[in-house]
């Protein structure tokens, strides 16, 4: 075998290694259920980031992205509030337990359960990225003439393209009607716009991984390796045929006739 084919084979091995490294993916989030994994993959894919999901043990899932896409993926998911916060329901908080809870403990559990339920409800509003409801229910003395009213503070982080100011009265009304002794005036609402990288950032990351803006880099590398392998075979084939006393034109003609 001449030096030229040897050099070509070395290049093929190097390119194959680069193609394998270029397709290396890392875990972005794990311990997810399938719905959470699907939502994250859909959000990343719609923004031009190549993402996959992988099933783990105990029916858990993880989301995988290319190592170079890791920063952009985290920024994108953080801006969209993914994965979604997990809230405790009334049934979770008030599960049957062997020990008898004190009235104070039951009151704290009730406040926490109400906060979780309201936060989960507000999270379902279109455009809401994250929601928290902090409820204050004073322990009033039934023998006292002074009654301290209940209050609630609502925190909502929303997408930059959604204006929730028009929904502020409805949000306060929802919270006020969900808690006994809470009036509309005692509900404070704080709206914060979620910041994210410019829309072109994730797309630029995706475009940078493309060849001619059409073919992904990994696919292009594989095609290049195959083309070089075919070229190497064509370079080596005449020498092998000559060693066996054959002419490559005659060999090609025989192959065509056999078919």
């Amino acid at each position: 075998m001449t030096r030229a084919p040897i050099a070509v084979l070395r290049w093929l091995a190097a390119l194959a290694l680069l193609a394998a490294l270029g397709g290396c993916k890392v875990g972005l989030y794990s311990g997810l259920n399938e719905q959470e994994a699907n939502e994250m993959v859909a959000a990343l894919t719609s923004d031009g980031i190549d993402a996959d999901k992988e099933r783990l043990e105990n029916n858990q899932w993880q989301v995988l992205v290319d190592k170079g896409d890791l920063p952009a993926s985290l920024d994108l998911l953080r801006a969209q509030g993914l994965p979604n916060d997990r809230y405790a329901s009334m049934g979770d908080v008030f599960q049957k337990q062997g020990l008898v809870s004190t009235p104070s403990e039951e009151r704290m559990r009730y406040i926490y359960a109400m906060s979780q339920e309201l936060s989960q409800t507000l999270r379902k509003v279109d455009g809401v990225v994250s929601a928290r409801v902090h409820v204050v229910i004073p322990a009033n003395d039934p023998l006292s003439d002074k009654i301290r009213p209940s209050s609630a503070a609502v925190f909502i982080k929303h997408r930059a393209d959604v204006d929730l100011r028009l929904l502020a009265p409805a949000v306060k009304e929802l919270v006020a009607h969900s808690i006994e002794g809470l009036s509309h005036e005692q509900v404070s609402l704080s709206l914060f716009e979620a910041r994210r990288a410019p829309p072109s950032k994730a797309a630029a990351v995706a475009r940078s991984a493309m060849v001619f803006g059409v073919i992904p880099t990994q696919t292009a590398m594989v095609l290049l390796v195959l083309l070089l392998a075919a070229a190497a075979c064509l370079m080596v084939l005449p020498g092998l045929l000559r060693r066996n006393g054959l002419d490559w034109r005659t060999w090609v003609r025989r192959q065509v006739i056999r078919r």
Side-chain angles (χ1 to χ4, degrees), residues 142-161:
L143 301 179
S144 175
D145 295 335
K146 296 181 179 179
I147 298 178
R148 293 175 296 174
S150 302
S151 62
V154 182
F155 161 84
I156 292 180
K157 183 168 68 173
H158 60 91
R159 295 203 314 262
D161 59 340

Side-chain angles (χ1 to χ4, degrees), residues 20-209:
L21 293 176
C24 180
K25 291 193 173 183
V26 296
L28 183 64
Y29 279 98
S30 60
L32 307 168
N33 58 45
E34 189 171 9
Q35 180 180 353
E36 292 172 335
N38 288 337
E39 290 176 350
M40 296 172 69
V41 170
L44 293 170
T45 304
S46 64
D47 210 69
I49 296 177
D50 183 21
D52 294 318
K53 67 177 183 178
E54 181 182 34
R55 188 168 188 171
L56 305 176
E57 297 179 356
N58 300 324
N59 202 26
Q60 294 185 342
W61 296 78
Q62 72 171 345
V63 174
L64 305 171
V65 297
D66 291 337
K67 190 173 182 180
D69 293 331
L70 190 60
S73 301
L74 290 173
D75 289 342
L76 176 64
L77 294 179
R78 188 181 298 111
Q80 298 193 17
L82 296 174
N84 295 327
D85 296 329
R86 296 179 179 179
Y87 301 99
S89 65
M90 281 283 191
D92 297 331
V93 176
F94 288 96
Q95 291 180 355
K96 292 184 178 180
Q97 297 179 352
L99 299 177
V100 179
S101 301
T102 64
S104 178
E105 292 175 342
E106 288 293 326
R107 174 174 165 275
M108 294 301 297
R109 292 170 64 187
Y110 171 75
I111 293 175
Y112 175 75
M114 287 301 304
S115 300
Q116 291 286 291
E117 290 279 355
L118 288 170
S119 299
Q120 185 176 16
T121 300
L122 294 176
R123 179 62 179 82
K124 296 182 181 297
V125 177
D126 292 340
V128 174
V129 173
S130 179
R132 285 287 187 272
V133 179
H134 303 279
V135 181
V136 178
I137 302 178
N140 290 310
D141 186 357
L143 301 179
S144 175
D145 295 335
K146 296 181 179 179
I147 298 178
R148 293 175 296 174
S150 302
S151 62
V154 182
F155 161 84
I156 292 180
K157 183 168 68 173
H158 60 91
R159 295 203 314 262
D161 59 340
V162 176
D163 189 0
L164 294 182
R165 289 176 295 181
L166 296 177
L167 295 179
V171 171
K172 290 186 177 182
E173 201 72 17
L174 171 66
V175 176
H177 287 173
S178 301
I179 301 174
E180 184 180 359
L182 183 62
S183 63
H184 185 277
E185 293 74 16
Q186 296 298 325
V187 179
S188 65
L189 174 61
S190 300
L191 299 175
F192 295 88
E193 183 178 302
R195 295 184 179 180
R196 63 159 298 175
S200 59
K201 181 177 180 180
V205 173
R207 286 196 299 269
S208 65

